Amino acid sequence: MQPVRSLARVMLSGIFVVSGARNLQNPGRLVPAAKPVTDRLTPLIQQVVPSLPTDAEKLIRVNAATHVVGGLLLASGRCTRAAALVLAGTLIPTTAAAHPFWSNDDPAQRAQNQVHFLKNLGLFGGLLLAAADTGGRPGLRWRAGHRIDHSRRSVQRAVRTARREARIAVRSAATARRLPG
């Protein structure tokens, strides 16, 4: 299954690396589409990360760099779960800015944007799967549950042992009292 996972991660990350590199080199062409979204996100960005620029072109560059780095991490198999989550998070504002099919009056443009919106929705689903993939190893939930069950059994054994030793001690004390001495 490992070769399938590796190939799927490389295929999924390709669009992020290529489009991220393209947008990093020429962010100006995306500013008109991104401006409405970046203007709405500016107050939130200033609260969460005050050092992050709020200019639309700089935010496009930050997003593009995130796509390139996240895509390369995902493709290389390094920090895949975190990279997939970050890419999924950046895909939401990217999709809202680039493919707002709901606001198009032209039916052809609306259909085109709807196709791209659904494509990004599919990418989002793939990224969520990549983020949930544990590579065949048990997940954190299973490991925590297994550790709790193991601890519970250990405590139960310790309680049984303590009860048995207490019964033996009581019998020994009773026997010691009966002996002349």
Side-chain angles (χ1 to χ4, degrees), residues 141-181:
R141 181 178 174 191
W142 182 89
R143 287 185 284 175
H146 188 315
R147 177 57 41 207
I148 289 169
D149 288 344
H150 178 73
S151 299
R152 185 179 304 131
R153 286 192 304 272
S154 295
V155 168
Q156 289 170 344
R157 277 194 302 272
V159 167
R160 282 194 305 267
T161 301
R163 284 181 183 159
R164 186 174 45 247
E165 289 177 359
R167 282 193 301 269
I168 292 170
V170 167
R171 281 190 221 130
S172 295
T175 306
R177 271 193 245 132
R178 281 188 253 143
L179 292 175

Side-chain angles (χ1 to χ4, degrees), residues 16 33-34 37-38 40-41 44 63 66-67 84-100 102 116-117 120-121 123-125 127-128:
F16 294 101
V37 174
T38 58
R40 275 191 245 139
L41 291 177
L44 179 66
N63 190 47
T66 303
H67 281 188
L85 280 176
V86 168
L87 287 172
T90 62
L91 196 57
I92 295 168
T94 300
T95 302
H99 310 297
W102 52 89
H116 286 294
F117 182 88
N120 282 7
L121 194 61
L123 286 171
F124 187 77
L127 289 168
L128 290 180

Side-chain angles (χ1 to χ4, degrees), residues 57-78:
E57 186 169 332
K58 289 179 182 171
L59 285 173
I60 291 169
R61 284 187 189 271
V62 168
N63 190 47
T66 303
H67 281 188
V68 170
V69 172
L72 290 174
L73 286 172
L74 186 63
S76 68
R78 305 267 184 225

Side-chain angles (χ1 to χ4, degrees), residues 95 97-104 107-119:
T95 302
H99 310 297
F101 68 91
W102 52 89
S103 65
N104 290 120
Q109 187 65 30
R110 176 184 279 263
Q112 186 71 12
N113 272 336
Q114 192 171 25
V115 166
H116 286 294
F117 182 88
L118 292 172
K119 173 207 48 144

Side-chain angles (χ1 to χ4, degrees), residues 42-53:
T42 296
L44 179 66
I45 292 170
Q46 288 174 339
Q47 285 179 349
V48 177
V49 189
S51 62
L52 199 64

